[in-house]
């Protein structure tokens, strides 16, 4: 559910290109002592130790550290079977208190507001917290010292020097005192249209690159008694939002998405957005099962595994999430979203790929340096490799999975990345910067896809919400260059 991919191209150079970001945040995000939603603003006692070459973050080596992991598409084994044992091996006198949940905001917000938060939190899923608000409230720790610390297992390099370019920038915000990093965006995701390669081979279906070919194939698939396209309206509408955003960027370049992030007036009613919404809206009208509006992501994904659904828009965590449902007759593959128009400014091979899956240390925990040390373990080359093996997703640790045998879906994703070359774009950030816009987009995209394909209504609805956010002085603003 949460948000995330892999080929013949050298993975290190591949990730360097794909993670290039270039964000710039305005000084509107202030480090405030008030908590998100109110609550205690008293500073809790922090466990600290003496800094040394072996203990660069100065943790209390005997103090417990508490972590909470989102239980979604990436699973939790990387935390229980890899990261925690590595932490314990390094610091045997420290207890790691671990828990997992699908309801991050419901579970964590009250603890942040009461000053009793976990030390390291994986903020993800449909119930993820507004991270911009967390930064604004001073509840996320500055990770400057983490990135400047020596790598856990790469001799002679800092943590920052082991990461793909753009990885730190993606979690950086402007606050009082300057721009600072507050999040580790750990998993590297490729987004596209997933399908069963064996089903396509059986029926001699060719992967489409143009919209005309996509429509023609959808007609063939429908005639074969299979739903051509589907997503889950109950809790995975953001998969569809990303599909529309990706198509819009291919029509008009990534600048279209930057305009949305920057709350530019008229950005949501721009031609590229409307063209993308119109094209996908018609897919909803002609080729989707309307009952899927009430289904959850795993229910629709299971139907794809049973060859009842052909195309499914998702990120590269999908293969791992569905591992238990994959039969010998099913082999995941992924393709770029087809070109919507004959004049798209980016080629058909262009794709959206980016770092995602937020992890942060909380200032409202009792062992913030321990939380950072846990992140240092996660950012080791060894932990990153095991994460890829377990989740079928890359990480922002450069080259960690080089030379590894990977799964069919991951291989397909890497081939897609290789073909994309320089035409790989990060995507958009308004959904994480402005929760009000994210919430509105989920309703708007469901109305578009399940209720008639009215692209103008989709654009007008989102334009109004965006400008309401722009005019609301209580909402901290961020900008992209």
């Amino acid at each position: 559910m949460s948000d995330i991919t892999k080929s013949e191209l050298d993975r290190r150079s591949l990730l360097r290109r794909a993670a290039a970001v270039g964000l710039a945040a305005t000084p509107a995000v202030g480090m405030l002592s008030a908590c998100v939603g109110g609550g205690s603003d008293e500073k809790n006692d922090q466990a600290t130790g003496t800094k040394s070459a072996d203990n660069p973050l100065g943790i209390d080596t005997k103090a417990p550290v508490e972590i909470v992991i989102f239980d979604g598409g990436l699973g939790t084994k990387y935390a229980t079977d890899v990261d925690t044992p590595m932490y314990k091996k390094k610091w045997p006198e420290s207890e790691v208190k671990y828990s997992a949940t699908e309801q991050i905001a419901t579970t964590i917000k009250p603890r942040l507001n009461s000053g009793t938060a976990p030390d390291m939190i994986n903020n993800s899923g449909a119930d993820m917290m507004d991270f911009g608000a967390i930064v604004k409230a001073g509840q996320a720790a500055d990770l400057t010292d983490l990135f400047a610390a020596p790598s856990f297992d790469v001799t002679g390099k800092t943590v920052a020097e082991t990461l793909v370019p753009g990885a730190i920038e993606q979690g950086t915000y402007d606050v009082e005192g300057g721009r600072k990093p507050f999040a580790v965006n750990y998993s590297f995701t490729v987004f596209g249209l997933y399908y069963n390669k064996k089903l396509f081979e059986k029926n001699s279906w060719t992967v489409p690159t143009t919209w005309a070919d996509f429509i023609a194939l959808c007609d063939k698939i429908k005639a074969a008694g299979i739903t051509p396209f589907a997503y889950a309206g109950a809790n995975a509408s953001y998969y569809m939002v990303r599909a529309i955003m990706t198509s819009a960027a291919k029509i008009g370049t990534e600048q279209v998405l930057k305009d949305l992030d920057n709350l530019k007036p008229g950005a949501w009613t721009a031609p590229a957005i409307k063209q993308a919404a119109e094209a996908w809206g018609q897919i909803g009208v002609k080729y989707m099962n309307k009952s899927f509006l009430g289904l959850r992501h795993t229910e629709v994904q299971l139907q794809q595994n049973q060859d009842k659904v052909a195309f499914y828009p998702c990120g590269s965590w999908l293969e791992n999430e569905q591992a238990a449902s994959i039969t010998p007759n099913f082999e995941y593959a992924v393709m770029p979203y087809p070109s919507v128009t004959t004049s798209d400014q980016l080629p058909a091979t262009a794709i959206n790929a980016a770092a995602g899956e937020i992890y942060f240390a909380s200032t409202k925990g009792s062992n913030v340096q321990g939380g950072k040390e846990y992140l240092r373990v996660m950012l080791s080359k060894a932990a990153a490799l095991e994460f890829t093996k377990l989740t079928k997703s890359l990480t922002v640790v450069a080259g960690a999975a080089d030379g590894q045998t990977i799964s069919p879906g991951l291989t397909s994703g890497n081939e897609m990345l290789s073909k994309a070359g320089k035409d790989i774009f990060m995507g958009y950030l308004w959904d994480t910067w402005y929760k009000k816009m994210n919430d509105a987009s989920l309703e708007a995209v469901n109305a578009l896809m399940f209720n008639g394909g009215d692209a103008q209504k989709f654009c007008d609805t989102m334009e109004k919400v965006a400008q309401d956010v722009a005019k609301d002085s209580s909402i901290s603003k961020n900008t992209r260059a």
Side-chain angles (χ1 to χ4, degrees), residues 379-436:
L379 292 169
S380 67
K381 197 166 184 178
L385 172 58
E386 293 306 314
F387 178 90
T388 295
K389 289 180 179 178
L390 286 168
T391 67
K392 301 179 178 66
S393 294
L394 289 176
T395 73
V396 293
V397 180
D402 283 354
Q404 299 300 310
T405 300
I406 53 179
S407 63
L410 209 54
T411 299
S412 177
N414 260 343
E415 291 171 351
M416 190 169 73
L417 281 163
S418 176
K419 291 175 182 177
K422 64 180 177 59
D423 296 306
I424 299 169
F425 55 93
M426 185 194 76
Y428 54 98
L429 293 166
W430 54 262
D431 60 333
T432 54
W433 283 351
Y434 308 116
K435 189 173 187 300
K436 184 175 181 180

Side-chain angles (χ1 to χ4, degrees), residues 267-315:
W268 280 97
T269 54
I273 300 291
K274 187 176 179 183
Q275 286 176 309
E278 283 178 338
W280 283 110
Q282 288 308 302
I283 295 297
V285 169
K286 298 176 181 178
Y287 302 113
M288 286 202 339
N289 187 324
K290 301 301 185 288
S291 69
F292 288 2
L293 175 62
L295 297 186
R296 292 177 61 82
H297 66 296
T298 48
E299 294 174 310
V300 177
Q301 289 161 196
L302 178 60
Q303 291 204 33
Q304 184 182 40
N305 297 147
Q306 297 169 341
D307 285 336
K308 296 176 182 177
V309 166
F311 287 115
Y312 185 75
C314 201

